[in-house]
Amino acid sequence: MANNQGPQGNYDPAGSTQMFRAFVDEEGPATRQTAATGSSGPRVGLIVGVVAVIVVVAAVAWLALS
């Protein structure tokens, strides 16, 4: 029979869970910052789109009145 408990014989079954939680806590703020930064991208696109529509409407109005 294989000895799966390691050299000390005190295998902690919750050790991997604790390491995973530490990893998530360590990576959590970076992910949240990325999400917050990513949300500003669509706003910039929306602003550029609105400005482009205003320019097109102004150009059409200028051509219609001249």
Side-chain angles (χ1 to χ4, degrees):
M1 206 188 269
N3 184 5
N4 293 333
Q5 294 184 349
Q8 291 85 15
N10 56 357
Y11 174 72
D12 182 16
S16 61
T17 303
Q18 291 170 349
M19 284 191 269
F20 176 73
R21 286 184 179 167
F23 172 76
V24 169
D25 289 341
E26 184 176 302
E27 294 295 322
T31 305
R32 290 183 197 124
Q33 288 174 353
T34 304
T37 304
S39 67
S40 66
R43 285 188 203 160
V44 171
L46 179 65
I47 292 170
V48 169
V50 168
V51 169
V53 168
I54 291 172
V55 168
V56 168
V57 169
V60 168
W62 181 72
L63 288 173
L65 294 176
S66 54

